[in-house]
Amino acid sequence: MVNEKEFWVEIRKDIPRYNRKPRVVPAFTIQALQENTVVAKPPKCGLYKPRPPKPSTFRQFYSRGVFPISMENDGYGPKINWKVKIEELDFQHYLPLFFDGLTETEYPYKFLVEQGISDMLEHGGPKVLPVVPQLIIPIKNALNTKVPAIICNTMRTLQRLVRSADCVGEALVPYFRQILPIPNLLKDKNVNLGEGIDYSQQKGENVADLIQETLEVLERYGGEDAFINIKYMVPTYESCMMN
């Protein structure tokens, strides 16, 4: 005995309009009510999709010879040669430009940025604290790329910044709402390899681990209001000092 569905399939098999390939139409439109149509699948939101950055302002200025630095190779590898004493630099001008280069992934710009920031934070002392507000947008732009290599480099730079001078950690607390949304997004996004080995952990390049480590540094150096502000932006974070 033929059921109703099979009956109508048999009746319609020789009718052209029922044998055409269904048209894909947008959802929630009049077209979706028409015959022989299927609703298109919703697009992917791309929440974790990396956004390759454009060439940074640092690259443009370095190409013009604005920075008082040059590349040298002493036989042990490349290094930066400063043409002036770092302590005499205008930190308000140069440090934000170096931080703008955190989005760079190509040599020699990436090396110059990492080494330049390291040298300036090491010798900056009290000159670092007044520049903190100017560093927030470059840090935020670097994190918004969601490129793993850039995220890791930015996390290490944040740790170095916080430890570079007194009160820098506390000065960063009001800016957690700007710099912590992406760490909150990626904090628990570890790679699940089953029984495999994630070699990025051995190299210190695991994004989730570096984010956790950085949040702990921010809490330790951020004063009494640091934890509650981190917790507000990263609800899954647990204090490393209270436990």
Side-chain angles (χ1 to χ4, degrees):
M1 186 173 180
V2 179
N3 59 36
E4 182 179 357
K5 182 177 180 181
E6 293 174 345
F7 171 77
W8 284 112
V9 169
E10 183 67 23
I11 292 296
R12 293 170 175 172
K13 70 178 182 179
D14 295 323
I15 304 176
R17 68 171 178 166
Y18 289 111
N19 293 322
R20 295 195 307 265
K21 186 177 180 180
R23 291 185 298 115
V24 180
V25 298
F28 307 108
T29 62
I30 296 296
Q31 291 174 301
L33 302 176
Q34 297 174 352
E35 291 185 357
N36 202 39
T37 59
V38 292
V39 175
K41 295 180 180 180
K44 294 182 178 180
C45 66
L47 186 62
Y48 299 103
K49 185 178 180 181
R51 302 172 183 172
K54 298 178 181 178
S56 66
T57 305
F58 170 84
R59 181 185 297 207
Q60 299 173 14
F61 277 70
Y62 178 75
S63 300
R64 297 174 190 170
V66 172
F67 294 97
I69 57 176
S70 62
M71 288 278 291
E72 282 190 358
N73 196 320
D74 58 1
Y76 295 97
K79 70 175 186 178
I80 288 183
N81 177 38
W82 291 89
K83 300 176 182 178
V84 297
K85 289 184 178 181
I86 299 176
E87 295 83 354
E88 298 175 358
L89 288 172
D90 181 359
F91 273 61
Q92 295 277 356
H93 177 67
Y94 286 109
L95 193 57
L97 287 175
F98 272 104
F99 268 75
D100 186 77
L102 286 171
T103 56
E104 292 290 346
T105 56
E106 297 180 9
Y107 184 85
Y109 307 107
K110 183 176 184 292
F111 170 78
L112 290 168
V113 167
E114 291 178 3
Q115 192 60 50
I117 290 176
S118 178
D119 290 349
M120 291 190 72
L121 293 182
E122 182 180 351
H123 297 89
K127 285 189 172 185
V128 175
L129 182 60
V131 192
V132 167
Q134 295 174 251
L135 307 180
I136 302 305
I137 291 180
I139 291 172
K140 180 181 176 182
N141 291 340
L143 294 174
N144 284 341
T145 64
K146 301 178 189 175
V147 177
I150 295 177
I151 297 288
C152 290
N153 186 30
T154 305
M155 290 293 103
R156 284 192 290 267
T157 301
L158 261 176
Q159 294 181 34
R160 200 176 293 125
L161 174 64
V162 169
R163 295 184 173 114
S164 64
D166 294 337
C167 300
V168 171
E170 296 177 18
L172 282 171
V173 172
Y175 301 103
F176 282 175
R177 293 193 180 192
Q178 297 183 52
I179 62 179
L180 293 185
I182 299 301
N184 175 50
L185 179 67
L186 302 176
K187 174 179 175 291
D188 299 314
K189 193 175 182 295
N190 260 316
V191 180
N192 185 3
L193 298 179
E195 296 181 356
I197 299 174
D198 183 6
Y199 290 100
S200 65
Q201 290 182 326
Q202 299 177 4
K203 299 175 183 177
E205 294 291 338
N206 185 277
V207 173
D209 290 347
L210 270 172
I211 289 174
Q212 176 65 28
E213 185 180 311
T214 304
L215 292 176
E216 292 177 2
V217 172
L218 290 174
E219 181 186 359
R220 287 193 183 98
Y221 289 84
E224 59 183 13
D225 295 327
F227 172 68
I228 191 170
N229 281 275
I230 294 174
K231 188 71 174 176
Y232 181 80
M233 295 304 302
V234 188
T236 58
Y237 177 74
E238 297 297 335
S239 175
C240 63
M241 299 177 66
M242 297 180 182
N243 299 330

